[in-house]
Amino acid sequence: MAVYTQVDDGDLNRLLADFDLGAVVSFAGVEQGVENTNYILTTTKGRFVLTLFEKRVDDADLPFFMAAMAHLACRGIPAPRAIADRRGAVVTRVRNRSAVIMSFLDGRQRMAPTPEDCRLMGGLNARLHIAAAGFSHTRQNALGLAGWKALAARCGAEADVCAQGLASLVADEIDFLSDNWPAQFPGGLVHADLFPDNVFFDETGISGVIDFYFACTELFAYDLALTLNAWASENGQWRVEHARALIDGYDATRRLEEGERAAMPVLLRGAALRIMLTRLNDFLHQVDGALVAVKDPLEYRDLLRFHRGGGSEKLFWKSG
């Protein structure tokens, strides 16, 4: 979440005139995140999240995202639901941007997850993949290998402004992944951004999953690799106990195939490169006046170096 576009009282009143959500009690921007503008909206009828879509989100993808959240919520995944206006539409316009009002999910993020949190996260990731069955919509992953190449080209030699040698590292890694990326594993609807700030916990376990705006049709094992990197590393350092717990939690619900397990070291490299490149792009091309904390791309550079050195491979030598 973040705030790139300022919404004033007039904007808000015009928007809510089309909804049956009661009177405004409070309205505040949310600073975390890097992709879209988000506000927490509290009315006399409850709490909601107003999202204005910025940057990488294509309006043509919004029906996919809305359908994905609805599909998963109906199958027991604690995903938010879009609120329809009086005409039944869920996508509207605010400040010349597409926008939605979503249900608010209770719970708190655990930004320093324990191994037990990781075990629960692995189980949730597997449940999401199982719940994807029957989802008829498809969306190509805009941040797959072709997307990484485009981001690398956009950053170019400027990458070395962030850290000397970064441009060369990116080029070498893209060459490797182009030759070694797997393609024939189970897949379907995935979240593709299951970072700790997108998952809420309460006293019963995981209570909510938000920010489905990278959701796409992709390999389940790659989605797991993204989750592993996000939950089993800290400041670029790999945490073996956290990784083992997350894999165990996943396997207890959807057991990885032998080929998926064998390919995981490569998938982890791709997952690390993907996050490093999007962070690098945001670092090099910051938006003036945006209320957003730009995240450090070098954290994922260090994680990528770890995976390139084979540090995570021992997790996957055995299938049991």
Side-chain angles (χ1 to χ4, degrees):
M1 296 183 176
V3 174
Y4 294 95
T5 301
Q6 298 294 327
V7 175
D8 60 27
D9 290 344
D11 300 319
L12 187 59
N13 290 333
R14 284 188 291 273
L15 169 67
L16 293 182
D18 294 329
F19 288 82
D20 185 22
L21 294 178
V24 175
V25 175
S26 64
F27 185 64
V30 180
E31 188 171 346
Q32 295 114 320
V34 293
E35 290 303 319
N36 302 307
T37 289
N38 288 273
Y39 290 89
I40 301 298
L41 167 65
T42 304
T43 75
T44 52
K45 291 194 175 182
R47 299 183 76 189
F48 307 91
V49 176
L50 169 63
T51 297
L52 281 64
F53 296 101
E54 315 264 8
K55 299 179 70 179
R56 300 187 186 99
V57 178
D58 188 330
D59 284 357
D61 289 329
L62 293 178
F64 177 91
F65 299 142
M66 299 301 114
M69 285 183 275
H71 176 91
L72 294 171
C74 287
R75 286 155 181 79
I77 303 300
R81 294 177 181 267
I83 307 300
D85 66 16
R86 292 190 176 95
R87 298 184 300 273
V90 297
V91 180
T92 184
R93 300 287 291 179
V94 177
R95 288 275 175 161
N96 201 34
R97 286 161 173 75
S98 292
V100 294
I101 297 177
M102 306 296 298
S103 59
F104 184 88
L105 299 177
D106 290 318
R108 297 179 64 86
Q109 301 146 323
R110 294 184 180 173
M111 301 307 293
T114 66
E116 181 56 28
D117 295 336
C118 291
R119 189 181 309 278
L120 292 173
M121 186 63 238
L124 185 280
N125 205 172
R127 284 170 47 212
L128 192 154
H129 293 162
I130 292 170
F135 186 63
S136 60
H137 303 264
T138 60
R139 175 181 178 265
Q140 184 178 359
N141 183 6
L143 288 171
L145 187 58
W148 305 339
K149 291 178 179 178
L151 280 171
R154 183 166 191 238
C155 295
E158 282 187 274
D160 284 356
V161 172
C162 182
Q164 189 65 34
L166 197 54
S168 176
L169 174 67
V170 168
D172 288 347
E173 192 63 15
I174 285 178
D175 285 345
F176 170 82
L177 294 171
S178 296
D179 293 336
N180 292 278
W181 195 250
Q184 301 302 317
F185 298 142
L189 171 64
V190 303
H191 185 284
D193 198 37
L194 284 171
F195 275 76
D197 58 354
N198 288 332
V199 179
F200 298 150
F201 289 78
D202 62 16
E203 64 278 3
T204 67
I206 293 177
S207 61
V209 181
I210 63 170
D211 204 354
F212 281 79
Y213 305 118
F214 287 105
C216 58
T217 307
E218 207 16 303
L219 303 179
F220 293 148
Y222 172 62
D223 192 44
L224 176 59
L226 284 163
T227 306
L228 272 165
N229 278 342
W231 289 73
S233 68
E234 183 176 24
N235 297 323
Q237 300 300 308
W238 189 247
R239 300 181 295 178
V240 174
E241 185 180 2
H242 291 67
R244 291 191 191 281
L246 199 148
I247 295 166
D248 288 347
Y250 188 94
D251 264 341
T253 301
R254 177 191 174 266
R255 191 163 183 79
L256 285 169
E257 296 182 357
E258 293 295 332
E260 292 177 301
R261 191 178 298 275
M264 193 60 69
V266 173
L267 293 167
L268 286 166
R269 289 174 63 165
L273 179 69
R274 171 258 190 266
I275 301 298
M276 187 187 78
L277 282 172
T278 51
R279 289 186 178 187
L280 178 62
N281 180 67
D282 292 332
F283 174 84
L284 294 174
H285 306 103
Q286 296 184 37
V287 178
D288 291 339
L291 176 62
V292 58
V294 176
K295 296 182 179 179
D296 183 8
L298 299 186
E299 175 185 351
Y300 269 75
R301 177 205 61 182
D302 295 344
L303 187 58
L304 175 58
R305 285 173 169 172
F306 174 80
H307 291 318
R308 279 166 60 98
S312 58
E313 290 184 6
K314 59 185 177 182
L315 283 173
F316 307 102
W317 286 343
K318 295 182 180 179
S319 61

